[in-house]
Amino acid sequence: MHRHENTVIDVTDDAVIVDLKAYADGVIRKDDLSEDPDFNMAEMIHPGDEITATVMATNDGEGNMVLSKKEANQVLAWDKLKNMMEERTVVPVKIAEIVNAGAVAYLEGIRGFIPASRLSDEYVEDLKEFDGKTIEVTVITADEETHRLVLSGREAAREKKQEETNKKIAKCEVGAVMKGTVETLKDYGAFVNLDDGLSGLLHVSQISTQRIKHPGVVLKEGQKVTVKIIGIKDGKISLLRQTPQPW
């Protein structure tokens, strides 16, 4: 099979006509352009475009050569996908359909599968919520031989969340007083959900003016507290409980 660089001379509803600079024009049928069922020929391909295609048959019965851009493209696509996998590139994809145990999205014209557990960094109860949605993904498997492309939205969602948290932390100031809710109690202190969506640690030594053995002596989960930021280090916030002053 020979690969050629050809100029598009016409785009119809179901095929692209290319100039083979030979005795006949070449025809690339829609099915041979892309695997993506949503592929819009009129939007994606225009007369004058240069297209690489593989000769599939020398004659279609009407004197035209039949070409496959899909075959030529897939060779290049798998190279790109392997590169994305190695470099952990984050790319946006549109969910094309929801299938058993996950979702389907097309990347570089290749059908990819996103397992349900990897659609987000959180548990997804209703997969249908993702139908038609555009999400950011990384390539985790790109196997050309088995034609297996597996994508994951988990890492990109996690990174995005961490970036947003870091931005919020950067705006925090030591000395700021704010309200929060006790989330969990540990032997060494209490984790407090602050009103701005961040979480901070109220060390056991910073909970009461009196020495206590365990945070549970003074606090309970779900309790509202007023705290002061006393330190910010390595993306972690340290807090001091502000107790009401006695008259």
Side-chain angles (χ1 to χ4, degrees), residues 115-187:
S117 61
R118 287 184 171 270
L119 272 167
S120 171
D121 63 332
E122 293 170 350
Y123 173 71
V124 178
E125 200 161 323
D126 185 7
L127 295 181
K128 286 181 186 148
E129 283 177 24
F130 280 82
D131 200 6
K133 196 175 171 185
T134 297
I135 65 166
E136 292 191 327
V137 297
T138 49
V139 176
I140 54 173
T141 304
D143 190 332
E144 187 177 358
E145 281 182 27
T146 58
H147 207 84
R148 190 161 175 261
L149 173 64
V150 184
L151 310 171
S152 171
R154 190 200 291 164
E155 294 75 12
R158 206 171 273 168
E159 276 176 32
K160 200 170 186 181
K161 203 173 270 185
Q162 192 55 54
E163 270 176 37
E164 285 167 7
T165 300
N166 291 346
K167 277 182 195 167
K168 282 184 184 175
I169 289 173
K171 288 180 185 172
C172 287
E173 289 178 14
V174 171
V177 175
M178 55 182 71
K179 295 199 180 327
T181 308
V182 176
E183 186 183 18
T184 48
L185 298 174
K186 305 280 182 188
D187 289 345

Side-chain angles (χ1 to χ4, degrees), residues 30-31 34-40 96-97 104-106 109 111:
K30 187 176 182 181
D31 288 349
S34 173
E35 282 191 355
D36 189 344
D38 291 334
F39 183 80
N40 186 319
E97 62 173 319
V104 168
Y106 290 84
R111 187 179 196 267

Side-chain angles (χ1 to χ4, degrees), residues 10-17 27-30 33 41:
D10 192 18
V11 180
T12 68
D13 285 346
D14 60 355
V16 169
I17 315 298
V27 177
I28 310 177
R29 312 232 172 266
K30 187 176 182 181
L33 275 161
M41 297 216 301

Side-chain angles (χ1 to χ4, degrees), residues 187-191 200-208 212 215 219 230 237-241:
D187 289 345
Y188 53 85
F191 283 97
L201 174 64
L202 191 52
H203 193 267
V204 67
S205 62
Q206 308 292 347
I207 290 172
S208 173
I212 55 171
L219 301 172
I230 56 170
I237 299 171
S238 300
L239 304 169
L240 165 70
R241 184 177 175 218

